[in-house]
């Protein structure tokens, strides 16, 4: 048995469909945001599967409430949906579900993604975003003590990206939520 591998995300614009590969997110955010790029790609793949399974979704019909304050996550959602530019992206560091692991960039590892009149809550599993991940990012994201230590960190990041992209589930919670939970009452956080 083979697992279906999604290489591209297709989104509809007024004048046609655009596609984004995982590499597009990686190139846009840069190597520093390797994990964030994989995570956003996976989140959007799942959101499309959950909320627009039978048609190519409209690129600018997504609303994002991110519990993760990191710039790589924001960049990925911006590339795919233009949500930050259009004021449909917000960071919420306060209203995290109890199960959401803390984020090394501030906040917690949960996302509420809306599409038109639907919304889903995704809480990342602490199996992937637990203490080990938190410590690795804190110790190495700003530079390691040696080239060897940084090489080991890059191996860890690549391994985690593979898990994010290919394991059947990376969420401790994945369920519908109210679109009202995505109301953009707070300003964008950069």
């Amino acid at each position: 048995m083979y697992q279906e591998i999604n290489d591209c995300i297709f989104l509809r614009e007024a004048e046609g469909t655009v596609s984004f590969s995982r590499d597009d997110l990686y190139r846009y955010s840069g190597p520093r945001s390797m994990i964030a790029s994989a995570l956003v790609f996976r989140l959007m793949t799942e959101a499309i599967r959950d909320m627009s399974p039978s048609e190519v979704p409209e690129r600018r019909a997504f609303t994002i409430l991110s519990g993760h304050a990191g710039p790589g996550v924001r960049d990925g959602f911006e590339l795919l949906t233009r949500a930050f530019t259009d004021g449909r992206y917000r960071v919420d560091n306060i209203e995290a579900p109890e199960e959401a692991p803390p984020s090394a960039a501030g906040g917690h590892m949960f996302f509420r993604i809306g599409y038109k009149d639907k919304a889903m809550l995704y809480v990342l599993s602490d199996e992937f975003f637990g203490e080990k991940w938190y410590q690795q990012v804190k110790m190495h994201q700003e530079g390691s003590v040696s080239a060897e230590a940084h090489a080991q960190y890059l191996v860890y990041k690549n391994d985690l990206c593979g898990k994010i992209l290919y394991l059947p589930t990376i969420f401790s919670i994945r369920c519908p939520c109210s679109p009202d939970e995505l109301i953009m009452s707070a300003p964008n956080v950069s």
Side-chain angles (χ1 to χ4, degrees):
M1 173 187 274
Y2 290 97
Q3 177 181 340
E4 180 182 338
I5 296 175
N6 295 311
D7 291 331
C8 288
I9 290 175
F10 295 91
L11 298 165
R12 200 164 19 108
E13 288 270 10
E15 295 181 350
T17 300
V18 292
S19 66
F20 298 94
S21 70
R22 294 186 313 259
D23 288 343
D24 292 333
L25 273 79
Y26 178 78
R27 281 192 298 273
Y28 185 73
S29 297
R32 180 181 165 89
S33 296
M34 176 190 311
I35 294 171
S37 296
L39 179 58
V40 170
F41 190 88
R42 177 68 182 266
L43 282 163
M44 285 299 294
T45 299
E46 300 297 337
I48 291 166
R49 185 175 294 137
D50 290 338
M51 294 181 283
S52 186
S54 58
E55 66 180 21
V56 175
E58 296 174 32
R59 182 179 187 193
R60 291 180 182 237
F62 286 94
T63 306
I64 317 298
L65 187 146
S66 175
H68 182 345
V73 167
R74 180 202 60 223
D75 289 350
F77 282 121
E78 172 65 6
L79 176 67
L80 295 175
T81 68
R82 300 306 305 240
F84 184 78
T85 295
D86 292 349
R88 294 175 285 105
Y89 181 90
R90 177 168 64 105
V91 173
D92 183 344
N93 295 331
I94 299 168
E95 307 236 355
E98 186 177 305
E99 299 85 355
S103 165
H108 289 83
M109 299 302 289
F110 77 97
F111 301 86
R112 288 186 175 96
I113 301 175
Y115 179 69
K116 295 186 177 182
D117 62 347
K118 300 174 186 170
M120 292 290 293
L121 168 64
Y122 301 95
V123 176
L124 283 296
S125 170
D126 63 5
E127 179 181 343
F128 308 104
F129 294 96
E131 188 63 28
K132 181 178 181 180
W133 168 76
Y134 189 89
Q135 291 303 322
Q136 288 289 312
V137 172
K138 284 295 188 188
M139 282 184 2
H140 299 288
Q141 189 70 5
E142 300 304 322
S144 301
V145 295
S146 68
E148 177 66 28
H150 197 72
Q152 289 299 318
Y153 177 55
L154 294 177
V155 168
Y156 168 77
K157 284 174 67 168
N158 274 291
D159 180 58
L160 183 56
C161 286
K163 290 175 181 175
I164 291 167
L165 291 168
Y166 302 118
L167 287 179
T169 186
I170 60 169
F171 307 108
S172 63
I173 299 174
R174 174 185 180 164
C175 64
C177 64
S178 169
D180 294 340
E181 295 179 49
L182 289 120
I183 293 174
M184 296 293 135
S185 58
N188 288 328
V189 176
S190 52

